[in-house]
Structures are given as C-alpha cells and as structure tokens.
C-alpha cells in the first residue's frame, strides 16, 4: 500500500532518531557492552582482592576505580549518541536515495528544517543521565560483588538488566520534563 | 639459584628489643552472622619483632590481619597502630598510616590490567610525599624487583607469571614504599615446597635488611 508520504520521511526519520532512537538504542547497547564490562572488571578485582590491595596501600579505590568510570561514561555517552545519530541519519539517507532518488542536500535540508531545540537539547541532556546511570550501576554491582567467580558473572548480568531498566525510567522522566519546557 | 637452608632464629627475648609497641589489638571481637571469628583477641607487635600467628583454616587469621589494617571493621575492641586508634581515624589519616604498613595478600592481588612495572609504580604515584625528593621511580622499581630476584619481569603482565613469581612481585610492591611493618597473610599458601622455602627466606632477608616488624 502506498501513502505517498515519502516527502515526510526525512523529517520523521530525523526527529525520531534524534529524539528517541539514537539516545535510547545507543544507551541500551552501552548498558550491555560498557555496563557489563565495568561490572565484570570491578567484580573480578573485588574477588581477587585487588580492591583490598589498593585500599591497603592507602589509595582510595572509590576515587580511582569508581569516579573515573562514572565520569568517563557520563562524558562519552552523549558523544557516542551524536556519532550514532549521524551514522543513522546517513544510513537512512542511503536507503532513501536508493529507493526514491533523493539528493543528499534535499534530504538533509528537510531533516534539519524540521529539527528544533526542543528535539536536540532534551535528547542530549538525557544522554548524560544515561551515561551516568550506566557507569553508576556497573560500578555498584561490580564493587559489591561477592561469592567468587559466580558473583562476577552475576554482577555483570545484573548490571546490564538494572541499567537497562533505569534507562527506560530516565527516558520516561526526560520526556515528562521536556514536555514542560518545550512543546513536543 | 641455590636456595639456602631455612633456619629460624630463636625468638628474641622482648627485653632485648626496643620496647616500642607498633601494633596492638585489644579485646577485638568480630562476628559474621552467628559465627564469632574473633572473641576478645589481644596481640602486641614490637618494633623489629617477628610475630607468627598460627591457627587452623577458618580460625580467623586473615580476618584478624584485615581488621588490623582497617579493611574489615571490628565489632568491638581497639586497634592501635603506631600509637593511633585506627577506629577513630579519618579516612585520610587512615590512608597515611596504611602507607607505613605493607600487606602481602594470600593470593598476591596484583592489578591484572597493569604490567609488573605499573603495579610497582602505582603506590609510588599515589604517595609521592612518602618518597625522598627527586626520587627516580625507575631506579626504585629496579631495586625492588632485584631484591626479589625478578628484575627481568618488569614489562610482563601478571597473567604471564607463575604463582611464586606473582608472590615475589607482590612482595616487591609491598616494599616499594619502605613500610615500617609488613603483614603477610599466609605468604606460602598454594606454593610448592621449594618456592615456599624461597619466599620464606626472602621474607627473612627483607626483614633483616629493612628491620621491619612483621606479622604472619
């Protein structure tokens, strides 16, 4: 069935990618990749007494291991989201171009004409919170893991599950807050 | 390398030692659920003294040694290290005291994402104030590794080392800040008898060289 809505495609794709798909999908992938990595690494350091060794040498392991990871996740996730948005928009252009012979300039003109601050600012802001949550949950689960190697697996697993759930809650809250300031 | 025969000196009568108590545990209690591991434990370690705590598995030796350095909080009792009550210290002061105490973990606890050099460099970077001004970190690392006979492992990762080598590197890491007291938590557990003998000999050599108090 044809709706003849091809001309709307760049705008629809642009808005949906920038507002929701880009940040949420990137954050979910990072929760799986980064969250589990942090959980497993810290968990293994915990069970092999490396964290205790750090503490025994007079170093604050919380500052060295936790703060740095949370800061890195918080700063890097928005950058990754921008990168993912760019790749996604370019990918959608390639599909459009293949199907409907839309020019590069026309496609991106339509994308940016329909994007507003109300789309970009809340999406970028929530990416910081996504990154913070992924780092925090991964560190918490890893730092508090017990029961040897089984505990490391559990820490990595539960870091991904909990972080993913928290991401949806943050996303829900972000939409609520954004709707107060911007007409969505 | 020829391994010298192991010999323990007769215990030195305490009246011949400097009577300065460096570590003291007074009536320490520690419970994990219903299992009371330490029941009114008392211990005194004098400056330069070798003290060996012996007990069967699960009797609380590791718990006691971890309580001593503040890794496990005690339920009741006093831990006095260099005249300071550990339970009353702020985090920064506690960390300062910890730099005076070396701790060799049962499982070596080397940082497995770092090379041997970085493992030894780590405490130095964190506690530059403990080292003499204008120190050469590379030289200190070389000296520490040479003292445990592993100068060639500097750029290796912990995963590439054998159990005995890991224990030696961990010992070198413990020595790098020149602690006044060294705590060894079963330093020969899991090692073959020959390596265990070498490690014990090394520990005694280090004690003679640095004149540290030690608690095993």
């Amino acid at each position: 069935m044809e709706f003849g809505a091809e001309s709307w495609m760049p705008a629809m794709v642009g808005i949906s990618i920038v507002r929701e798909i880009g940040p949420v999908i990137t954050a979910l992938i990072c929760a799986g990749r980064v969250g589990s990595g942090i959980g497993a690494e810290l968990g293994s350091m915990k069970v092999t007494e490396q964290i205790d060794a750090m503490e025994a040498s007079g170093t604050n392991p919380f500052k060295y291991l936790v703060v740095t990871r949370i800061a890195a996740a918080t700063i890097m996730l928005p950058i990754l989201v921008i990168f993912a948005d760019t790749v996604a928009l370019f990918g959608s252009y390639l599909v459009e171009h293949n199907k409907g012979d839309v020019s590069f300039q026309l496609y991106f003109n339509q994308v940016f004409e329909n994007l507003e601050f109300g789309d970009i600012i809340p999406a970028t802001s929530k990416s910081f919170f996504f990154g913070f949550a992924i780092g925090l949950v991964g560190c918490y689960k890893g730092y508090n893991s017990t029961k040897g190697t089984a505990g490391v697996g559990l820490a990595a697993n539960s870091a991904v599950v909990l972080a993913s759930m928290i991401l949806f809650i943050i996303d829900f809250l972000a939409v609520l807050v954004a709707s107060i300031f911007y007409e969505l | 390398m020829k391994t010298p025969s192991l010999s323990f000196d007769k215990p030195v009568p305490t009246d011949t030692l400097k009577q300065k108590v460096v570590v003291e545990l007074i009536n320490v209690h520690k419970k994990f659920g219903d299992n009371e591991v330490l029941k009114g434990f008392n211990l005194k370690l004098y400056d330069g003294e070798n003290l060996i705590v012996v007990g069967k598995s699960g009797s609380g030796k590791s718990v006691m040694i971890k309580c001593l350095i503040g890794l496990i909080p005690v339920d009741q009792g006093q831990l006095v290290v260099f005249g300071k009550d550990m339970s009353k210290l702020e985090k920064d002061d506690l960390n300062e005291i910890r730099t005076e105490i070396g701790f060799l973990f049962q499982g070596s606890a080397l940082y497995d994402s770092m090379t041997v050099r970085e493992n030894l460099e780590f405490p130095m970077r964190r506690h530059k104030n403990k080292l003499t001004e204008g120190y050469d970190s590379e030289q200190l690392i070389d000296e520490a590794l040479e003292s445990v006979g592993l100068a060639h492992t500097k750029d290796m990762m912990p995963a590439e080392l054998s159990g005995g080598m890991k224990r030696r590197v961990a010992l070198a890491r413990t020595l790098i800040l020149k602690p006044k007291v060294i705590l060894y938590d079963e330093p020969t557990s899991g090692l073959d008898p020959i390596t265990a003998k070498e490690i014990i000999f090394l520990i005694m050599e280090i004690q003679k060289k640095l004149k540290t108090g030690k608690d095993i």
Side-chain angles (χ1 to χ4, degrees):
Chain A
M1 196 183 283
E2 296 277 336
F3 289 105
E6 278 158 12
S7 60
W8 294 358
M9 282 303 283
M12 282 167 61
V13 168
I15 288 171
S16 55
I17 285 177
V18 172
R19 260 195 207 175
E20 286 301 321
I21 297 173
V24 174
I25 299 288
T26 308
L28 283 173
I29 293 170
C30 282
R33 175 73 178 80
V34 180
S36 65
I38 292 175
E41 192 181 5
L42 291 192
S44 123
M45 288 185 79
K46 177 82 179 176
V47 300
T48 55
E49 294 183 313
Q50 291 176 53
I51 292 180
D52 282 347
M54 223 169 251
E55 207 168 340
S57 72
T59 303
N60 184 347
F62 186 81
K63 265 189 203 166
Y64 185 76
L65 298 171
V66 176
V67 175
T68 49
R69 278 167 174 77
I70 294 177
T74 309
I75 294 164
M76 289 313 292
L77 197 80
I79 295 170
L80 211 56
V81 166
I82 292 168
F83 180 73
D85 286 354
T86 311
V87 172
L89 287 174
F90 192 72
S92 70
Y93 156 71
L94 286 180
V95 174
E96 274 290 290
H97 179 71
N98 231 7
K99 257 189 122 184
D101 206 18
V102 181
S103 75
F104 183 84
Q105 199 178 357
L106 179 67
Y107 182 84
F108 280 95
N109 266 347
Q110 286 204 25
V111 167
F112 290 114
E113 255 175 34
N114 290 284
L115 279 178
E116 292 170 0
F117 277 119
D119 302 315
I120 297 166
I121 291 173
T124 313
S125 311
K126 74 182 172 191
S127 304
F128 282 103
F129 291 101
F130 287 165
F132 180 78
I134 292 167
L136 185 71
V137 172
C139 288
Y140 175 78
K141 289 289 177 185
Y143 206 85
N144 292 298
S145 73
T146 49
K147 296 174 189 167
T149 43
V152 177
L154 197 66
N157 193 5
S158 54
V160 177
V161 174
L162 186 61
S164 305
M165 283 170 62
I166 290 175
L167 292 181
F168 286 114
I169 295 169
I170 292 174
D171 194 41
F172 169 71
L173 293 174
V175 172
L176 271 184
V177 173
S179 67
I180 299 168
F181 296 103
Y182 300 98
E183 200 180 306
L184 298 177
Chain B
M1 191 178 94
K2 189 176 174 260
T3 310
S5 61
L6 185 68
S7 67
F8 288 98
D9 295 330
K10 280 181 185 171
V12 183
T14 46
D15 56 357
T16 63
L17 293 165
K18 277 191 258 174
Q19 288 297 295
K20 191 182 162 196
V21 177
V22 283
V23 174
E24 189 171 10
L25 273 71
I26 308 160
N27 194 28
V28 170
H29 289 259
K30 180 68 196 173
K31 229 177 178 180
F32 294 99
D34 292 334
N35 182 18
E36 192 167 15
V37 182
L38 301 176
K39 298 174 197 169
F41 188 87
N42 293 291
L43 176 144
K44 264 184 190 176
L45 177 71
Y46 292 91
D47 195 10
E49 184 187 21
N50 295 334
L51 181 70
I52 299 174
V53 180
V54 187
K56 61 179 183 181
S57 293
S59 58
K61 303 182 295 291
S62 296
V63 171
M64 180 274 290
I65 215 167
K66 283 181 181 173
C67 285
L68 207 157
I69 201 162
L71 291 176
I72 298 177
V74 295
D75 298 334
Q76 198 191 317
Q78 242 187 322
L79 297 164
V80 184
V81 179
F82 303 122
K84 289 176 183 167
D85 188 344
M86 296 281 272
S87 58
K88 288 179 185 158
L89 290 177
E90 293 291 319
K91 197 81 186 166
D92 286 343
D93 296 328
L94 184 64
N95 282 340
E96 200 55 42
I97 287 230
R98 281 171 172 164
T99 62
E100 305 285 354
I101 307 171
F103 194 122
L104 183 69
F105 283 82
Q106 205 169 352
S108 304
L110 293 176
Y111 310 129
D112 52 17
S113 58
M114 301 180 191
T115 61
V116 167
R117 178 209 304 265
E118 287 163 343
N119 261 282
L120 269 71
E121 224 169 9
F122 186 82
M124 284 200 288
R125 269 187 292 162
R126 301 278 136 191
H127 302 289
K128 286 181 182 154
N129 58 330
K130 273 271 293 169
L131 301 160
T132 48
E133 213 170 303
Y135 71 96
D136 180 3
S137 66
E138 206 61 26
Q139 195 191 334
L140 288 175
I141 291 168
D142 286 341
E143 277 173 16
L145 283 174
E146 270 163 27
S147 69
V148 296
L150 287 176
H152 62 286
T153 60
K154 210 158 64 168
D155 295 314
M156 289 168 86
M157 297 300 286
E160 296 173 87
L161 306 174
S162 70
M165 286 161 99
K166 278 183 192 169
R167 210 62 60 90
R168 282 159 177 256
V169 172
L171 188 53
R173 186 179 65 183
T174 306
L175 298 175
I176 204 107
L177 289 178
K178 300 194 170 41
K180 291 177 185 158
V181 173
I182 303 181
L183 309 173
Y184 299 92
D185 186 6
E186 295 197 37
T188 59
S189 76
L191 300 178
D192 62 87
I194 297 167
T195 315
K197 207 172 176 182
E198 282 177 11
I199 294 281
I200 292 174
F201 177 71
L202 198 59
I203 288 171
M204 298 188 74
E205 281 293 295
I206 286 161
Q207 204 263 343
K208 274 183 202 159
K209 205 168 145 189
L210 296 181
K211 297 187 172 37
T212 52
K214 72 176 180 225
D215 184 356
I216 306 179

